[in-house]
Amino acid sequence: MTRESSVALKDLDVSVENVVATATLGQKLDLIAIMKVFRNVEYRPKKFPGLVFRLKRPKTATLIFSTGKMVCTGAKSEMLSRSAIRKVVKELKDNGIIILGKPEIMIQNIVATANLHTYIDLEAAADILDNVLYEPEQFPALIYRMGEPKVVILVFASGKLVCTGAKSAEMVDVAIMNLHGVLDEYGLLFQA
């Protein structure tokens, strides 16, 4: 359910912290051959089956698996995540690793933070809202599983939020605005 909020999105300091994207090359890769060509990679098959390919710009780590699947983490936007995967593929090609097609890239998860600049009554929120878990003895935030968009938001009494599970930055924005609207409607926001 969408609720109108009395605050503008720009006032909530929404910031994307990490984008996780996957890519499929549709072919097998020889990770040992990649390790021999690049010095900036890590590959310890006895500990982990993937090769870690780090980039300085954009600052990311891309896991490459022999199946041709890749997982890129660390980017601060969807665009940078896609750019990092394309750059890794280009570097592989430029250094003699045969890659036949273009990577199929999908955004899997966006982690973002926000600040509502107001305190939140978590006890009351836990009683009023559906799909929440609040056990302050174990974790200081209320865990809110939003139905639409489908995300999980950690809600701290300080008004700080961590949103995870979004597939786009727009999804993050909608989720934050929806949550603010719900909290405002139920009178759960207050100034110190």
Side-chain angles (χ1 to χ4, degrees), residues 19-66:
V19 176
V20 178
T22 57
T24 306
L25 294 174
Q27 70 181 69
K28 301 275 185 202
L29 295 173
D30 183 348
L31 300 183
I32 292 173
I34 295 171
M35 185 182 72
K36 288 177 182 175
V37 173
F38 293 92
R39 293 179 181 222
N40 63 331
V41 300
E42 295 171 33
Y43 183 48
R44 296 185 187 100
K46 289 181 181 171
K47 288 189 175 186
F48 183 72
L51 178 141
V52 182
F53 195 113
R54 295 183 197 286
L55 292 176
K56 288 185 180 170
R57 294 188 70 173
K59 188 173 183 196
T60 56
T62 300
L63 303 174
I64 303 173
F65 297 93
S66 61

